[in-house]
Amino acid sequence: QVQLVESGGGLVQAGASLRLSCAVSKRADTTYAMGWFRQTPGKEREFVAAINWSGGSTDYADSVKGRFTISRDDAINTLFLQMNNLKPEDTAVYYCAADSTGWKTPLLTRRSGLEYEYWGRGTQVTVSP
């Protein structure tokens, strides 16, 4: 089973930046999609961004477009989420996830998170006003 470990979260002020990392236990093949999701206590899990591991195609939630960038480094088996101009509403636990069925999953289904088989434990991001 693929294991995912997130890191890089912290406490920052609005307008600051953070870079989250997700270490992957094995190198993903061409069928994998990787994603970032977030969750706040009392709320449903929310899609943030996704990437096709092999091809680099990306998808973003409207709330983070223009501010967040998802990327990966195959050489070190690591997924990244660069978060710029952070807002208090970005406060959440951020989770890394892997989908072995890959980019062929319909867009809305992929955004729902239902096709992601593997999940990390999360890293806390807190943005103060």
Side-chain angles (χ1 to χ4, degrees), residues 18-121:
L18 282 174
R19 189 193 196 198
L20 305 184
S21 297
C22 172
V24 184
S25 64
K26 62 177 289 185
R27 184 167 294 178
D29 62 27
T30 57
T31 70
Y32 273 63
M34 301 293 295
W36 287 98
F37 293 79
R38 64 189 183 187
Q39 188 167 25
T40 300
K43 296 184 178 180
E44 295 291 320
R45 181 182 61 205
E46 178 187 13
F47 168 76
V48 176
I51 187 169
N52 178 355
W53 185 272
S54 61
S57 298
T58 58
D59 180 39
Y60 295 93
D62 289 342
S63 60
V64 306
K65 285 182 179 177
R67 299 189 298 121
F68 291 9
T69 302
I70 187 171
S71 62
R72 82 279 186 264
D73 189 336
D74 188 59
I76 58 173
N77 298 339
T78 303
L79 180 74
F80 300 101
L81 183 68
Q82 178 66 45
M83 306 185 294
N84 297 326
N85 191 25
L86 283 162
K87 304 176 183 296
E89 51 263 44
D90 294 318
T91 295
V93 175
Y94 283 70
Y95 298 91
C96 175
D99 172 13
S100 63
T101 64
W103 210 245
K104 61 180 179 296
T105 301
L107 177 63
L108 295 181
T109 301
R110 185 168 63 244
R111 287 181 172 180
S112 76
L114 295 176
E115 297 299 318
Y116 287 87
E117 183 178 2
Y118 308 106
W119 294 84
R121 298 293 184 180

